[in-house]
Amino acid sequence: MKKGVMITILLLVLVLIGNTGCDVLFDLGCIDQPDYVEVIVNADVCVSFSDGKTPPTSIMWSGAQIEIAIIKAGGERVQFDRYASSGGCTDSVQGIFNVYREQPVEVVARPIYGVIPDFAGGGFYDSGKYRVSNNVATLRWSDIYPAKDFGDTYVWQPTISILVQPN
């Protein structure tokens, strides 16, 4: 009987000592410890327009209306509409997310309206007539962790340089 009690106590001590980290199964001592990394995204978007010829002529597309979405895996998102300045770039946009294990974060930008530059034929932007490239940036979990640990803050500042050209 004494031997059984000693073995039980020894096993209990081993389980408690082995569980000093935050194990989801037992969740002992983990009440206040976060299981995510806070990610602050500050995205800049610039857009250029090309005539699609060889060799191509391209210019920064001022006045274009750009839709910018910052999306965390699982569907959480923030979305903005910004206009490109005379230099072809929008004001920065920001999204803040609690990113859990294996979740990526993406910035997706696309033009939704604008006057086509004269050298490319003029008129108004029609998404069916033009293709957009270089419009997505992705932050993978492997970029965030182990650079930052759970409970830390990771700042990501991507610049997306969109290229728009005729189909």
Side-chain angles (χ1 to χ4, degrees):
M1 179 76 162
K2 246 182 173 180
K3 190 175 183 180
V5 171
M6 288 301 287
I7 290 174
T8 303
I9 290 173
L10 181 60
L11 287 174
L12 183 60
V13 168
L14 287 175
V15 167
L16 291 176
I17 289 173
N19 196 34
T20 56
C22 285
D23 191 312
V24 176
L25 181 61
F26 294 106
D27 200 25
L28 299 174
C30 299
I31 295 169
D32 295 323
Q33 190 168 352
D35 58 349
Y36 60 86
V37 175
E38 179 183 64
V39 174
I40 300 172
V41 180
N42 296 310
D44 295 307
V45 176
C46 297
V47 59
S48 61
F49 205 100
S50 172
D51 61 4
K53 296 178 181 175
T54 304
T57 300
S58 65
I59 63 167
M60 297 309 287
W61 189 14
S62 64
Q65 185 179 3
I66 308 296
E67 178 184 87
I68 307 165
I70 306 172
I71 308 160
K72 182 185 88 163
E76 190 177 344
R77 70 172 34 221
V78 291
Q79 192 162 317
F80 307 89
D81 282 348
R82 295 287 188 265
Y83 288 92
S85 68
S86 60
C89 298
T90 66
D91 293 332
S92 291
V93 296
Q94 184 179 71
I96 301 173
F97 303 97
N98 292 338
V99 177
Y100 297 87
R101 185 177 302 275
E102 301 302 325
Q103 289 185 319
V105 177
E106 280 190 332
V107 178
V108 180
R110 67 181 186 93
I112 55 177
Y113 178 79
V115 176
I116 305 301
D118 289 336
F119 80 93
F124 293 101
Y125 178 74
D126 177 352
S127 62
K129 294 180 180 178
Y130 299 93
R131 68 179 175 272
V132 177
S133 57
N134 304 325
N135 65 320
V136 177
T138 303
L139 177 66
R140 298 178 315 264
W141 175 253
S142 60
D143 299 324
I144 300 168
Y145 187 86
K148 296 293 181 176
D149 203 354
F150 294 108
D152 292 342
T153 299
Y154 185 95
V155 178
W156 183 43
Q157 296 181 239
T159 298
I160 296 179
S161 298
I162 301 172
L163 177 63
V164 180
Q165 53 191 340
N167 282 333

